[in-house]
Amino acid sequence: MSFFDTSNLVLAHEIISRYPKPKSATIPLLHLAQEQHGWVSDDAMREIAELTGTTPAEVKGTGSFYEMFKFHPVGRYMVNVCTNLSCQILGGEELLAHAEETLGVKAGGTTADGMFTLEDVECIAACTEAPCLQVNYRYKLRVGTEDFDQMVHDIRDGRADDIPEHGTLALVRQAIPAGTGAGITAPENAREAPVWMARNDVPEGSDDKDGGA
Amino acid sequence: MPTHSYVPHAPGYVDNEGPKIVTSRFGYEDSFTLERYQATGGYQALRSALDKKPAEIHSEVREATLLGRGGAGFPAGIKWGFLPPGKFPYYLVVNGDESEPGTYKDRLLMERDPHQLIEGCLITCYALGLQQCFLYVRGEMALAQERIAQALNEAYAEGYIGKNILGTEFSVDIVLTWGAGAYIVGEETALIESLEGNRGMPRLKPPYFPAAVGLYGQPTIVNNVETLSNVPWVIENGARQYKTYGSEKSPGTRMFAVSGHVKRPGVYEVEHGVTSFRDLLYGDNFCQGIRDGHELKMFVPGGGSAPWFFEEQLDLPLEAGPVGAAGSMLGSGGIVVMDETTDAVKAALRLVRFYARESCGKCTPCREGTTWEERVLQRILDGEGRPSDIELLLDIADNISPGPYPVAADPAQELDAIPFPPKQTTICPLGPSSVAPIASTIRRFRHEYESKITKRDVIPVAAEKAMS
Amino acid sequence: MSPADEANTVNVTINGSEIAASPGELLIDACERAGAYIPRFCYHSRMKPVGMCRMCLVEVDTGRGAALQPSCMLPVSDGMTVETETDLTKKAQDGVLEFLLVNHPLDCPVCDKGGECPLQDQTVAFGPGESRFVEEKRHYEKPIAISDTVYLDRERCILCDRCTRFANDVAGDALIHFMDRGNNTQVNTFPDEPFASYFSGNTVQICPVGALTAKPYRFKARPWDLEETISTAWTDSVGSRITVQSSRNQVLRLLGVDADPVNWGWLSDKERFAFEALNSEERLGAPLVRNDQKELVATGWGDALDRAVAALQGTAPERIAMIGGARLTNESQYAWAKLAKGVLGTDNVDAQLGDGLPVEAVLGLPRATIDDACRPGGTIILMGPDPKEELGALYLRLRHAVLNDGATLIEITPRAGGLSGLASHSLHPRPGELPALTAALVAAVGGEAVDTAGVPAEAITAAAAAVAGPVTVVLGRASLAETGESIADAAVNLNALDDVSFLSALRRGNIHGALDAGLSPGLLPGRATLSAGSERVGEVWPGVPESAGLDTAGILAASAAGDIDVLVLLGADPINDFVDHAAAASGLEGAGTVIAIDLVRNDSIEMAADIVFAAAGPTESSGTFTNLEGRVSVCEQKVTPPGTARPDWMLATELAHRLGADLGLDSPESIRAELVSVSPVHGGLSEEALAAGRIDGVLVEGNGDIAAPAGTTAGVPSNDAYSLRLVSTRSMYDDGVALRHSHSSRGLARGLDVRLSPTEFDKLGVKPGTIVKVESSRGHLLAPAFADPSLPPGSAHVPWSASGSPASSLIDAGAPFTDVRVERS
């Protein structure tokens, strides 16, 4: 029984084909699984192991190292409030406390309706716009308590079209059209210098500055 | 209210009136599109590079003294020279895993000008014979991933990437890949591990540089997003022109993110080496000083891992050498300014907690030590500190980073600076970085610690339970 | 030291004394050699350094000032100055120790590791007196079973990465892994995927704390109550060196010993936990005889011996036969060879049970050691059983050679196995067609290939092109449904390759000792044929058989025909061991008197034995063992055998005595001395050499008088369109008698199934797992069917001796191959 649906399975193979070694696709495939399912299930990891020629233990070993992968169901919207230094000194912790009160869950918890999971996170690289947060990795900057309440309201009311559901990151994927790629370079199959480096061998002062191209 | 002069489509970025090398297109709302990029001279550097020998491109970058912008500040041209001849294939890995507390500029460069980065990658691959490029973006940066994916797709369609680029024999793929939330992956060998599908744990040194043994055991150049974003300009305008900006040892510009208690926090492109902290924090074109009614207490000069600076260090130039001698580092260009309302112990705890949470768990001193530091600090803040806790903290710190830890001078106590970098009992600097806030604050604000712990001199109840 | 060596050394100053080291040597090892032991937890000399624990930090100066460096990841360099005792070093090590103890529970009194725990020892030796850590420690659920044999206590774990590195890098079974991050990092398995590695016990042995414990040893003893001695593992022929540990006259634990030419300290779980069978309550403690009610009942030694002697005296030499002997020590094998061939005068003696190879193929070709096979830059041709299933420690060595030392592996096997992922070329010829394929391969080295034995020409050409450097053929019987003769023919073909030698992969315990002792038709001790050895041996023995006798198949056939009056089963169980169940059963039924010498009652004993002698097992008697290289190593007695069971050699001398002959053998040492006197190849096996080779053993080299097999070149008829050619291979845990008596491992036997090449599976038109009928001319069985893409077209695989209907019901020992029909049931 396949975990990935048909189109994602095609995508999974395409992703794997970009790396010299299939195991390199582990993290992108875990993201793909999370995009399809909202979180990463054991079945997903078993399938990723099969696709990448590893064991499920290796996939989980890798996946569990990274915070973004959730191995149990989470809310449709992941609300990540930054409390690191720049945000802390401008109200990040107060914002988190407000969020906990508003959503009725502690950081790490998921609301009963399955809409929100609240997290207390490390620096999200928007320090000048403190306090800040991300909802499904989309930024909300200089967030006051009223802004927060409005945001929650909008999401609950379905007025958050700009934020995809949890698991989806970029809305655009890289696609290398057939015939345009240079192809993967694996340690086993590229022991020679690439052809263009031969230009270096043209003696200094040669008229043929283009290396004969 | 702080003064805003933000570019609305690039929140955080402040357009000061200095030279612009990497942020020149930030003013355009559509700066991330191929159309705008080409209309503003984009991909011309690639074209001109392809007319030259690869070695000439390398020389130009070496000549420009383009310093790495990831934190260590190592010259890119020299790093590139570490590739062992003939041991093909070589790879390029772009470090877009920006996550140092207080730092952001790579995110803006990826979101606002992805083609500039891509062009930098292509030129670098051409110059060094790198045969595949992996552009690793921090997992939490969805928009950056999206903009880069879009840009890559456009560039492939136009023949800038892939097979026989612009009709030449130069062929290389750039693969967008992304992380999933782990600060340590910003360390270049951990990044390579992550890219290989592993836990992002730093590799043993030696070998010291991935240029010798990197991705899949092959020679690999790992460069930061900002570093590579400089490359097209350097090639287009030449090293000589590049060196007209900045100082002799630190030419060009650098991006700094200044956050915290300043009037106009923001990300600025600043002339390297010739601007001082005071200019940046107080200058009219920059942050315009501490917020009204308050005064500077301390500031983090180069990302969360940097020992803290104070009033006395404000006149130091933004240049690695003097900052290192003064006991800290420019690091990743993240400056966090704190005024007198900031609780030094609380602020230190927040950074220590960061390192405890982000420790990869590989080296014992970091895995156990950072968490222990956090718990002692938390105990002190919770009013359950013991008089011996300050010495305990310093000794835990000493077991992670042995010997005198880099700190700024403190004229009031007639204490000299201890120069950067710290020593370490660990593989990478993450564990030792946790000591920066502890060493900085205990030296300067020991009384703040003492005032929190002299109240109690008993073993807390929870701890007693644990011991029984 | 030769001038070349001298040029190739560096000088390092360790605590003020200069020592010479070879470039690349790790500082931690150089310091240990220099007498400055550096404490460590994560470093293990047989695995890649990982530098995690940071315990081995020492002060190193390479000219740029002294700094703390982890000595486990720093190769020595010339002029390096190292201080392992300075205050800075001590402070760093104390610090690491304190950090490790921050979360380590203080449950030493109830921890199996207590008393032999590096963490405990270091703490006592170097550590701080009391902890400054007053907070709560990390908590996890107390020991969780991560496999049938291994328990994991994550609270005790210090995250040294030894077990996980072993599982991933050494064994290739990445079933345990670090999970989560930082202070929450833990070792764990994936849900519902246990650490089912054949090598899991090694992780327990190398765990530097009590985090990993093995079920057979948990809470059995305290280290200070254990006595130990060195010995050799007996469940396969690798000859892994072990420490046998016992308490109160019971073996409680086996540990691997790091013998550089052999097992590097590793053991398969089968080797490691095999001692449990010796402690079984089913062990025979007294002789048995069959009474009038046809029941086996205990009796005294005098009675049993008298009955045996009466049977042996009442017949002619050619009507006596003996099967087995691979379980015995070299000394017992020699004593039994002398009894059977020298006293009783029969040559119907065979230690191989019809599942081995012609002796010429084992002893008569240029022989290789394990180190030879693993040479960097060499080529390994695996033409034998899956080492992962049958010769565990050899598998680990071969795996290391291919992964780390640049050896090239070419497989010529009936189907994919444990090393297939590492093979540069895998050729799976049709059953019975190895000679044709090897001939084609040899011809393709520098020549052209054609499609052969179901293998495409391109695959043969590519494999031939990969042959480089010295070649080692790992030679054995992969499929029990194929004859040893065809493998010998194939070996003769490969012997034409340049610089080729052969490493025997005969699997059964001390089978190579048995062959060296002459327990094979036509052989005498010392790798000698009857004709070549009779003069030497005849000087010491009462007599020597004149002509070659029967092998196991021949003995069973003769016995079935009523031509065998006394059949001796010397640690043999033909009903379960012989490839052809029907032949084994009729042979046992047809025998006159069946005398068995064994540790426990087995199916053959139950069915046919008239007299059963209780034998001492491994760890219960002293002697030596000969491994697949011909390496002789000691096995020392550690405990006494149950009841009145006695060493096999002693029984032989007693029987001889009662038969009126004096074997002149009164101790293992005296037997060795006689072996050396009659066997030129054993000339180097002095007591001094054995003492010097206490760890590494003594290699007995040479072919003696055995010539290479002649090669028959007989063609193989193809199977008809309706039948499939049978392949039957072993797995590590089959349903053998030893496993049945191992408390911890008996659940591990693999189930029965039939696997078909995908084409054949598709033809069958059933879903995977559907029960089908497999039928040969000998019998049939029912088993679930699956596809196996590695099987050549026209073949079917049934595992050997799996639980349920055994493959031996299908195999015809008299035929060069067995064809089966697979049908929907």
Short mmCIF file of all heavy atoms in Angstrom, two decimals, chain A residues 23 41-43 45-46 55-62 64-67 71, chain C residues 168 172-182 185 188-193:
data_model
loop_
_atom_site.label_atom_id
_atom_site.label_comp_id
_atom_site.label_asym_id
_atom_site.label_seq_id
_atom_site.Cartn_x
_atom_site.Cartn_y
_atom_site.Cartn_z
N LYS A 23 19.61 9.04 -0.80
CA LYS A 23 19.38 9.39 0.60
C LYS A 23 19.29 10.91 0.78
O LYS A 23 18.66 11.39 1.71
CB LYS A 23 20.48 8.80 1.48
CG LYS A 23 20.10 8.81 2.95
CD LYS A 23 21.17 8.26 3.87
CE LYS A 23 20.64 8.24 5.31
NZ LYS A 23 21.71 8.03 6.29
N SER A 41 3.74 10.36 9.10
CA SER A 41 3.30 9.10 9.72
C SER A 41 4.37 8.02 9.56
O SER A 41 5.29 8.15 8.75
CB SER A 41 2.00 8.64 9.07
OG SER A 41 2.25 8.34 7.70
N ASP A 42 4.22 6.97 10.33
CA ASP A 42 5.15 5.83 10.20
C ASP A 42 5.11 5.25 8.79
O ASP A 42 6.14 4.88 8.23
CB ASP A 42 4.80 4.73 11.22
CG ASP A 42 5.17 5.15 12.64
OD1 ASP A 42 5.80 6.21 12.81
OD2 ASP A 42 4.84 4.40 13.58
N ASP A 43 3.92 5.19 8.23
CA ASP A 43 3.81 4.66 6.86
C ASP A 43 4.61 5.51 5.88
O ASP A 43 5.24 5.00 4.97
CB ASP A 43 2.35 4.63 6.41
CG ASP A 43 1.60 3.46 7.04
OD1 ASP A 43 2.28 2.55 7.55
OD2 ASP A 43 0.36 3.48 7.02
N MET A 45 7.24 7.26 6.53
CA MET A 45 8.68 7.02 6.69
C MET A 45 9.10 5.68 6.11
O MET A 45 10.17 5.54 5.55
CB MET A 45 9.05 7.13 8.18
CG MET A 45 9.01 8.59 8.65
SD MET A 45 9.59 8.79 10.33
CE MET A 45 8.12 8.39 11.24
N ARG A 46 8.23 4.68 6.27
CA ARG A 46 8.55 3.38 5.65
C ARG A 46 8.69 3.53 4.14
O ARG A 46 9.60 2.99 3.53
CB ARG A 46 7.45 2.36 5.97
CG ARG A 46 7.58 1.78 7.34
CD ARG A 46 6.71 0.54 7.53
NE ARG A 46 6.58 0.29 8.95
CZ ARG A 46 5.57 0.73 9.70
NH1 ARG A 46 4.58 1.40 9.15
NH2 ARG A 46 5.55 0.50 10.99
N THR A 55 16.75 2.56 5.79
CA THR A 55 15.80 1.88 6.68
C THR A 55 14.88 2.92 7.31
O THR A 55 15.23 4.10 7.40
CB THR A 55 16.54 1.15 7.82
OG1 THR A 55 17.20 2.13 8.64
CG2 THR A 55 17.56 0.16 7.29
N PRO A 56 13.69 2.50 7.73
CA PRO A 56 12.80 3.45 8.41
C PRO A 56 13.48 4.10 9.62
O PRO A 56 13.24 5.27 9.92
CB PRO A 56 11.61 2.59 8.83
CG PRO A 56 11.62 1.44 7.88
CD PRO A 56 13.06 1.18 7.57
N ALA A 57 14.33 3.33 10.31
CA ALA A 57 15.02 3.91 11.47
C ALA A 57 15.92 5.06 11.03
O ALA A 57 16.03 6.08 11.73
CB ALA A 57 15.83 2.84 12.18
N GLU A 58 16.55 4.92 9.89
CA GLU A 58 17.40 6.01 9.40
C GLU A 58 16.56 7.23 9.03
O GLU A 58 16.94 8.37 9.31
CB GLU A 58 18.20 5.56 8.17
CG GLU A 58 19.34 4.64 8.49
CD GLU A 58 20.07 4.18 7.23
OE1 GLU A 58 19.55 3.26 6.56
OE2 GLU A 58 21.13 4.73 6.91
N VAL A 59 15.42 6.98 8.41
CA VAL A 59 14.56 8.10 8.02
C VAL A 59 14.06 8.83 9.26
O VAL A 59 14.11 10.06 9.34
CB VAL A 59 13.36 7.60 7.18
CG1 VAL A 59 12.39 8.74 6.90
CG2 VAL A 59 13.86 7.00 5.87
N LYS A 60 13.66 8.07 10.27
CA LYS A 60 13.18 8.73 11.49
C LYS A 60 14.34 9.39 12.22
O LYS A 60 14.19 10.46 12.81
CB LYS A 60 12.46 7.74 12.41
CG LYS A 60 11.84 8.46 13.59
CD LYS A 60 10.68 7.73 14.21
CE LYS A 60 9.96 8.66 15.17
NZ LYS A 60 9.03 7.94 16.03
N GLY A 61 15.50 8.73 12.18
CA GLY A 61 16.69 9.30 12.81
C GLY A 61 17.01 10.66 12.22
O GLY A 61 17.30 11.63 12.93
N THR A 62 16.92 10.76 10.90
CA THR A 62 17.14 12.04 10.25
C THR A 62 15.99 13.00 10.55
O THR A 62 16.20 14.11 11.01
CB THR A 62 17.31 11.85 8.73
OG1 THR A 62 18.51 11.12 8.48
CG2 THR A 62 17.37 13.19 8.00
N SER A 64 13.68 13.20 12.83
CA SER A 64 13.41 13.67 14.19
C SER A 64 14.46 14.66 14.68
O SER A 64 14.31 15.25 15.74
CB SER A 64 13.33 12.47 15.15
OG SER A 64 14.56 11.77 15.17
N PHE A 65 15.52 14.83 13.89
CA PHE A 65 16.53 15.82 14.24
C PHE A 65 16.00 17.23 13.98
O PHE A 65 16.48 18.20 14.57
CB PHE A 65 17.78 15.56 13.39
CG PHE A 65 18.98 16.40 13.75
CD1 PHE A 65 19.85 16.01 14.75
CD2 PHE A 65 19.25 17.58 13.06
CE1 PHE A 65 20.96 16.77 15.07
CE2 PHE A 65 20.36 18.35 13.38
CZ PHE A 65 21.22 17.95 14.38
N TYR A 66 15.05 17.32 13.09
CA TYR A 66 14.59 18.63 12.61
C TYR A 66 13.21 18.95 13.17
O TYR A 66 12.29 18.14 13.09
CB TYR A 66 14.56 18.62 11.07
CG TYR A 66 15.91 18.30 10.47
CD1 TYR A 66 16.30 17.00 10.18
CD2 TYR A 66 16.83 19.32 10.24
CE1 TYR A 66 17.55 16.72 9.65
CE2 TYR A 66 18.09 19.05 9.72
CZ TYR A 66 18.44 17.75 9.42
OH TYR A 66 19.68 17.48 8.91
N GLU A 67 13.12 20.18 13.71
CA GLU A 67 11.88 20.56 14.40
C GLU A 67 10.63 20.62 13.53
O GLU A 67 9.53 20.44 14.01
CB GLU A 67 12.01 21.98 14.95
CG GLU A 67 12.64 22.10 16.27
CD GLU A 67 13.67 23.20 16.22
OE1 GLU A 67 13.37 24.28 15.70
OE2 GLU A 67 14.79 22.93 16.68
N PHE A 71 5.58 14.26 14.10
CA PHE A 71 5.32 12.83 13.99
C PHE A 71 4.00 12.42 14.64
O PHE A 71 3.78 11.27 14.97
CB PHE A 71 6.50 12.05 14.57
CG PHE A 71 7.78 12.37 13.84
CD1 PHE A 71 8.69 13.29 14.35
CD2 PHE A 71 8.03 11.80 12.60
CE1 PHE A 71 9.84 13.61 13.65
CE2 PHE A 71 9.19 12.12 11.89
CZ PHE A 71 10.09 13.03 12.42
N ASN C 168 25.09 0.28 11.79
CA ASN C 168 25.07 0.88 10.46
C ASN C 168 26.33 0.58 9.67
O ASN C 168 26.28 0.08 8.55
CB ASN C 168 24.88 2.40 10.60
CG ASN C 168 24.59 3.06 9.27
OD1 ASN C 168 24.06 2.42 8.37
ND2 ASN C 168 24.97 4.31 9.14
N GLY C 172 25.78 -3.26 8.78
CA GLY C 172 24.91 -2.89 7.68
C GLY C 172 23.43 -3.04 8.00
O GLY C 172 22.61 -3.13 7.10
N ASP C 173 23.11 -3.10 9.29
CA ASP C 173 21.71 -3.22 9.70
C ASP C 173 21.32 -1.95 10.46
O ASP C 173 21.34 -1.93 11.69
CB ASP C 173 21.53 -4.43 10.63
CG ASP C 173 21.83 -5.75 9.92
OD1 ASP C 173 21.52 -5.85 8.72
OD2 ASP C 173 22.37 -6.67 10.57
N ALA C 174 21.01 -0.90 9.73
CA ALA C 174 20.71 0.38 10.38
C ALA C 174 19.31 0.34 10.98
O ALA C 174 18.41 1.07 10.56
CB ALA C 174 20.86 1.51 9.37
N LEU C 175 19.13 -0.50 11.96
CA LEU C 175 17.81 -0.67 12.58
C LEU C 175 17.72 0.05 13.91
O LEU C 175 16.63 0.22 14.46
CB LEU C 175 17.53 -2.17 12.76
CG LEU C 175 17.51 -2.95 11.45
CD1 LEU C 175 17.52 -4.45 11.70
CD2 LEU C 175 16.29 -2.57 10.62
N ILE C 176 18.86 0.42 14.47
CA ILE C 176 18.86 1.31 15.63
C ILE C 176 19.52 2.60 15.19
O ILE C 176 20.42 2.58 14.35
CB ILE C 176 19.59 0.72 16.86
CG1 ILE C 176 20.96 0.17 16.47
CG2 ILE C 176 18.75 -0.33 17.54
CD1 ILE C 176 21.80 -0.26 17.66
N HIS C 177 19.06 3.69 15.73
CA HIS C 177 19.53 4.98 15.24
C HIS C 177 19.34 6.02 16.32
O HIS C 177 18.48 5.87 17.17
CB HIS C 177 18.71 5.37 13.99
CG HIS C 177 19.47 6.23 13.03
ND1 HIS C 177 19.69 7.56 13.26
CD2 HIS C 177 20.08 5.94 11.87
CE1 HIS C 177 20.39 8.05 12.24
NE2 HIS C 177 20.65 7.08 11.40
N PHE C 178 20.14 7.06 16.24
CA PHE C 178 19.85 8.23 17.07
C PHE C 178 18.53 8.82 16.61
O PHE C 178 18.29 8.96 15.41
CB PHE C 178 20.93 9.29 16.92
CG PHE C 178 22.18 9.03 17.72
CD1 PHE C 178 23.42 9.40 17.22
CD2 PHE C 178 22.11 8.45 18.96
CE1 PHE C 178 24.57 9.17 17.95
CE2 PHE C 178 23.26 8.22 19.71
CZ PHE C 178 24.49 8.58 19.20
N MET C 179 17.72 9.18 17.57
CA MET C 179 16.47 9.87 17.26
C MET C 179 16.44 11.17 18.07
O MET C 179 17.08 11.26 19.12
CB MET C 179 15.26 9.04 17.68
CG MET C 179 15.23 7.62 17.13
SD MET C 179 14.49 7.55 15.51
CE MET C 179 14.74 5.82 15.09
N ASP C 180 15.67 12.12 17.62
CA ASP C 180 15.54 13.42 18.28
C ASP C 180 16.90 14.11 18.35
O ASP C 180 17.84 13.69 17.70
CB ASP C 180 14.87 13.29 19.65
CG ASP C 180 13.49 12.65 19.51
OD1 ASP C 180 12.82 12.94 18.49
OD2 ASP C 180 13.10 11.86 20.37
N ARG C 181 16.98 15.18 19.14
CA ARG C 181 18.16 16.03 19.02
C ARG C 181 18.64 16.51 20.37
O ARG C 181 17.86 16.57 21.33
CB ARG C 181 17.82 17.22 18.13
CG ARG C 181 19.02 18.04 17.71
CD ARG C 181 18.64 19.17 16.78
NE ARG C 181 17.91 20.22 17.46
CZ ARG C 181 17.09 21.06 16.87
NH1 ARG C 181 16.86 20.97 15.58
NH2 ARG C 181 16.47 21.99 17.56
N GLY C 182 19.89 16.92 20.40
CA GLY C 182 20.45 17.60 21.56
C GLY C 182 20.32 16.77 22.81
O GLY C 182 20.59 15.57 22.83
N THR C 185 18.41 13.56 22.63
CA THR C 185 18.83 12.50 21.72
C THR C 185 18.73 11.16 22.42
O THR C 185 19.08 11.01 23.59
CB THR C 185 20.30 12.72 21.28
OG1 THR C 185 20.43 14.03 20.77
CG2 THR C 185 20.70 11.72 20.21
N ASN C 188 17.15 4.51 19.42
CA ASN C 188 15.91 3.75 19.38
C ASN C 188 15.74 3.05 18.06
O ASN C 188 16.47 3.30 17.11
CB ASN C 188 14.70 4.67 19.65
CG ASN C 188 13.59 3.94 20.41
OD1 ASN C 188 13.46 2.71 20.33
ND2 ASN C 188 12.80 4.69 21.15
N THR C 189 14.75 2.16 18.03
CA THR C 189 14.38 1.49 16.79
C THR C 189 13.18 2.22 16.20
O THR C 189 12.56 3.04 16.87
CB THR C 189 13.96 0.04 17.05
OG1 THR C 189 12.92 0.04 18.03
CG2 THR C 189 15.13 -0.78 17.56
N PHE C 190 12.84 1.89 14.97
CA PHE C 190 11.61 2.40 14.38
C PHE C 190 10.46 1.56 14.96
O PHE C 190 10.64 0.38 15.21
CB PHE C 190 11.69 2.23 12.86
CG PHE C 190 10.60 2.95 12.12
CD1 PHE C 190 10.67 4.32 11.94
CD2 PHE C 190 9.52 2.26 11.60
CE1 PHE C 190 9.67 5.00 11.25
CE2 PHE C 190 8.52 2.92 10.91
CZ PHE C 190 8.60 4.29 10.74
N PRO C 191 9.29 2.20 15.16
CA PRO C 191 8.18 1.43 15.72
C PRO C 191 7.92 0.14 14.95
O PRO C 191 7.89 0.17 13.72
CB PRO C 191 6.99 2.40 15.58
CG PRO C 191 7.60 3.76 15.53
CD PRO C 191 8.95 3.59 14.90
N ASP C 192 7.78 -0.93 15.65
CA ASP C 192 7.47 -2.25 15.06
C ASP C 192 8.57 -2.79 14.15
O ASP C 192 8.34 -3.71 13.39
CB ASP C 192 6.14 -2.22 14.28
CG ASP C 192 5.00 -1.80 15.16
OD1 ASP C 192 5.04 -2.15 16.35
OD2 ASP C 192 4.10 -1.09 14.67
N GLU C 193 9.74 -2.21 14.19
CA GLU C 193 10.85 -2.78 13.43
C GLU C 193 12.00 -3.03 14.39
O GLU C 193 12.84 -2.17 14.60
CB GLU C 193 11.31 -1.82 12.32
CG GLU C 193 10.20 -1.48 11.35
CD GLU C 193 10.62 -1.60 9.90
OE1 GLU C 193 11.82 -1.84 9.64
OE2 GLU C 193 9.75 -1.47 9.04
#
